[in-house]
Amino acid sequence: MAGGLWQAIDTQRTALATLLAGLTAAQWAHRSLCAGWTVRDVTGHLLLPAHPAEMLWLARHAASCLDDAIRRSGIRLAGRYDTTELTAAIGGLCGTRRRFPYATARSALVDVVVHSLDIGVPLNRPVAPPPEVTAIAATEVGKHLPGLWPRPSRTLRATDVEWQQGEGPLLQAPIADLLLILTGRVTP
């Protein structure tokens, strides 16, 4: 699904840009599911692959605290644009294959899917892709990016797509909810 992954990424970017286009100033300032980040901050973060100089800034400042440097970088990028420009910039990423150095198409998918949920869920406007696409992101998080988030001590089983991961007591939920658990956004 390599080519299909980029199509899924572009579809998610388009859905997110559509959501962003309808936000009020208060919604742009609303807290996201990323602790300490606003909707605007998360949107700025999603633009990082299109800004190589900002990636260099992030690399220089990540040594002390990676999470803080990533957040500050998102705030810096978001501050360069008004909300109309931020929305257009997200849509403008469609068709590009830029990603973080050493990142794969699958990790780019994780980034846009998780952060779309980070933005949409607190606004009661979730923009999750089809369950099959979200399952790819959840598999990437659980198997290939486990050091970034704590592993739940449960068996997670999706109710809307064939997907299961982990060991321990069973927890069943839609795959988007399980992805939020895997990334530490919510606790089971």
Side-chain angles (χ1 to χ4, degrees):
M1 183 181 191
L5 281 176
W6 285 110
Q7 179 59 46
I9 291 165
D10 287 347
T11 299
Q12 191 62 25
R13 287 171 172 164
T14 300
L16 179 58
T18 300
L19 168 71
L20 295 171
L23 297 185
T24 65
Q27 289 171 316
W28 277 99
H30 198 279
R31 285 185 307 205
S32 74
L33 292 182
C34 291
W37 297 47
T38 66
V39 166
R40 185 182 180 95
D41 301 339
V42 175
T43 304
H45 166 72
L46 285 170
L47 297 177
L48 186 58
H51 293 272
E54 191 66 24
M55 284 196 257
L56 291 173
W57 180 92
L58 177 60
R60 282 194 312 271
H61 292 86
S64 59
C65 179
L66 179 61
D67 286 342
D68 183 60
I70 291 171
R71 183 173 102 26
R72 288 188 299 144
S73 174
I75 291 168
R76 286 167 45 99
L77 282 171
R80 295 179 189 169
Y81 301 93
D82 66 30
T83 57
T84 301
E85 293 168 329
L86 277 171
T87 300
I90 291 294
L93 291 173
C94 292
T96 67
R97 301 299 177 250
R98 289 186 173 177
R99 55 189 186 263
F100 297 107
Y102 309 108
T104 65
R106 287 179 182 268
S107 56
L109 179 71
V110 169
D111 205 41
V112 71
V113 170
V114 171
H115 290 313
S116 292
L117 291 167
D118 287 336
I119 290 168
V121 169
L123 298 174
N124 290 320
R125 296 176 67 182
V127 286
E132 297 77 18
V133 173
T134 307
I136 294 168
T139 297
E140 181 71 8
V141 167
K143 291 187 177 177
H144 303 290
L145 302 172
L148 296 177
W149 298 285
R151 287 187 175 265
S153 56
R154 304 185 78 151
T155 298
L156 305 178
R157 182 180 299 154
T159 57
D160 52 351
V161 66
E162 191 172 317
W163 185 91
Q164 180 173 307
Q165 198 171 93
E167 297 177 14
L170 179 64
L171 174 64
Q172 297 184 90
I175 190 66
D177 294 345
L178 297 177
L179 180 58
L180 292 175
I181 291 168
L182 283 168
T183 56
R185 273 37 178 200
V186 297
T187 55

